[in-house]
């Protein structure tokens, strides 16, 4: 015969408390003495009790799910939607975001639902999903400065937190990095190595973070007498970094230092430099940005500016949890500090 599943009553008997007390602990109601909470949790472990998620949702009126939304701008065809998803999964940055979000949510018995919002129709699906209560809130990673989703979420008064400062500003909480400071670290490191003809491969200039990194790099160099710095624009991919590096070498063959605005483009730059007979870092020093997994698999291993993506994503989830539970009502911002990680490329 199949063993009967443990019930709230079983846990209550094991813990020596009332069924109502066990219910409050299971449903995360906060007015329970911490010692009693621990007593109940130990009883849950001993009995093997597993809450019924559907029943729990009826009590808490929460889905215990959050939407992790990767958002863009513009309308796309089905082919465009597939390409959008493929670009997302190819970028190690997104995997780090997922890791940070899951690391925060899992111990709290909450789960992310991945959604793409790269078109007007997809954005409406996200809004409907949230309005219907199928997720308690949204964690939004925007890939385009003109993304209308943050403003739509704010207008609908739906709980949401953004990865990166919104442009234009909207009354939603966000986490971000001090991008200018990170680029300054890269510039100062290249100059400290003795680079006299530095150049940069920036990210897409319609992305705010790209503009901030470029401005920080230019500012640091201007303070050291470099009034003009060669520039090539990339698209945050290895291929675009290769194309940009080739362009820079064609126009400025005496380049002796390169700051690439992410590690993927830095990897592409290194590949081109080696292919053209330039030694890295002896002839051309290369600094990336992100400190992603690419940084340690690249040859040579990349000196890069660390963006603590996992910690930022976990903080984004923490802020959303506070908004969902009413512990925070006003929008806030948390800005993380970058760090230079020195390896072999510079």
């Amino acid at each position: 015969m199949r063993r009967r599943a443990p019930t709230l009553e079983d846990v209550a008997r094991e813990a020596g408390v009332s069924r109502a007390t066990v219910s409050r602990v299971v449903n995360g109601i906060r007015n329970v003495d911490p010692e009693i909470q621990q007593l109940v949790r130990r009883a849950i472990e001993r009995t093997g009790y597993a809450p019924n998620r559907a029943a729990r949702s009826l009590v808490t009126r929460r889905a215990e799910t959050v939407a992790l939304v990767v958002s863009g701008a513009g309308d796309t065809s089905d082919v465009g939607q597939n390409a959008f998803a493929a670009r997302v999964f190819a970028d190690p940055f997104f995997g780090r975001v997922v890791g940070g979000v899951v690391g925060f949510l899992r111990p709290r018995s909450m789960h992310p639902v991945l959604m793409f919002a790269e078109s007007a129709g997809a954005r409406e699906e996200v809004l409907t999903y949230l309005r219907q209560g199928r997720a308690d809130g949204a964690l939004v990673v925007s890939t385009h400065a003109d993304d209308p989703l943050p403003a739509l979420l704010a207008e609908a008064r739906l709980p949401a937190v953004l990865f990166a400062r919104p442009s234009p500003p909207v009354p939603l909480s966000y986490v971000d990095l001090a991008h200018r400071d990170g680029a300054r670290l890269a510039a100062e490191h290249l100059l400290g190595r003795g680079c006299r003809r530095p150049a940069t491969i920036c990210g897409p200039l319609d992305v705010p973070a790209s503009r901030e990194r470029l401005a920080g790099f230019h500012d640091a160099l201007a303070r050291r007498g470099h009034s003009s710095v060669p520039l090539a624009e990339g698209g945050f991919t290895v291929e675009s970094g290769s194309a940009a590096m080739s362009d820079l070498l064609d126009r400025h063959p005496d380049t002796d230092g390169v700051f690439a605005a992410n590690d993927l483009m830095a990897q592409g730059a290194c590949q081109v430099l080696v292919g053209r007979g330039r030694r890295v870092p002896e002839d051309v020093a290369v600094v990336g940005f992100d400190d992603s997994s690419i940084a340690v698999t690249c040859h040579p291993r990349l000196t890069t500016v660390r963006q603590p993506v996992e910690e930022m994503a976990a903080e984004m989830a923490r802020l959303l949890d506070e908004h969902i539970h009413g512990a925070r009502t006003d929008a806030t911002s948390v800005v993380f500090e970058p760090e230079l990680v020195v390896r072999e490329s510079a």
Side-chain angles (χ1 to χ4, degrees):
M1 294 178 62
R2 238 170 61 181
R3 183 174 177 269
R4 179 177 64 87
T7 65
L8 283 177
E9 287 79 5
D10 296 328
V11 177
R13 280 194 298 272
E14 180 71 23
V17 299
S18 70
R19 182 187 187 282
T21 297
V22 174
S23 178
R24 286 199 294 273
V25 173
V26 169
N27 291 313
I29 298 173
R30 299 172 185 267
N31 63 345
V32 180
D33 182 272
E35 290 185 8
I36 294 178
Q37 289 185 39
Q38 287 301 318
L39 190 67
V40 171
R41 290 191 180 110
R42 286 195 292 269
I44 289 172
E45 290 176 4
R46 289 194 298 271
T47 60
Y49 172 75
N52 183 302
R53 290 181 62 84
R56 181 174 172 178
S57 294
L58 288 173
V59 174
T60 62
R61 296 187 179 180
R62 297 192 188 99
E64 297 183 336
T65 298
V66 299
L68 177 54
V69 186
V70 184
S71 186
D75 290 289
T76 61
S77 63
D78 288 340
V79 173
Q81 291 171 3
N82 293 336
F84 181 81
R87 287 197 303 273
V88 169
F89 288 122
D91 192 331
F93 167 83
F94 179 69
R96 296 176 67 191
V97 170
V98 172
V101 167
V102 170
F104 178 87
L105 294 179
R106 179 177 287 169
R108 293 158 180 82
S109 298
M110 299 179 69
H111 305 278
V113 173
L114 178 61
M115 303 185 77
F116 293 108
E118 76 293 344
S119 67
R123 285 189 287 274
E124 188 55 40
E125 287 180 8
V126 170
L127 293 171
T128 299
Y129 195 85
L130 293 167
R131 288 189 182 111
Q132 291 175 346
R134 296 166 69 186
D136 298 318
L139 301 168
V140 181
V141 181
S142 286
T143 61
H144 199 285
D146 295 331
D147 181 10
L149 183 60
L152 293 172
L153 290 166
E155 289 168 9
R157 299 183 179 276
L158 293 166
V161 178
L162 312 178
F163 194 108
R165 184 177 320 192
S167 177
V170 294
L172 292 178
S173 294
Y174 67 84
V175 300
D176 206 348
L177 184 77
H179 295 282
R180 290 192 182 218
D181 293 344
R184 290 188 186 110
L185 291 174
E188 289 165 2
H189 184 71
L190 288 173
L191 294 176
R193 283 185 53 88
C195 295
R196 296 184 178 182
R197 293 169 295 280
T200 182
I201 300 172
C202 69
L205 291 176
D206 60 350
V207 175
S210 298
R211 296 196 297 268
E212 289 289 297
R213 294 173 193 180
L214 180 60
F217 189 70
H218 278 168
D219 181 68
L221 291 178
R223 291 169 185 264
R224 297 283 292 273
H226 294 265
S227 61
S228 178
V229 180
L231 162 71
E233 184 177 351
F236 286 144
T237 64
V238 173
E239 295 76 16
S240 68
S242 297
M245 190 70 251
S246 294
D247 177 47
L248 283 172
L249 288 177
D250 290 343
R251 292 187 289 116
H252 304 278
D254 58 351
T255 295
D256 61 0
V258 174
F259 167 53
N262 84 333
D263 291 342
L264 288 170
M265 294 192 298
Q267 181 184 39
C270 287
Q271 291 172 353
V272 168
L273 288 167
V274 171
R276 293 211 185 181
R278 308 294 176 93
R279 296 171 301 165
V280 179
E282 292 85 357
D283 299 326
V284 184
V286 178
V287 178
F289 202 108
D290 282 338
D291 195 26
S292 65
S293 58
I294 298 298
V296 293
T297 58
C298 184
H299 298 287
R301 297 191 309 158
L302 288 174
T303 290
T304 184
V305 177
R306 183 171 188 268
Q307 179 173 206
V309 175
E310 293 85 355
E311 292 93 330
M312 293 168 70
E315 180 65 14
M316 178 173 63
R318 187 190 69 80
L319 290 174
L320 181 62
D321 187 58
E322 290 186 351
H323 283 298
I324 289 170
H325 290 93
R328 181 180 298 278
T329 55
D330 296 330
T332 189
S333 59
V334 179
V335 178
F336 286 73
E337 295 299 323
E339 174 188 355
L340 184 71
V341 180
V342 178
R343 296 191 181 94
E344 290 83 21
S345 70

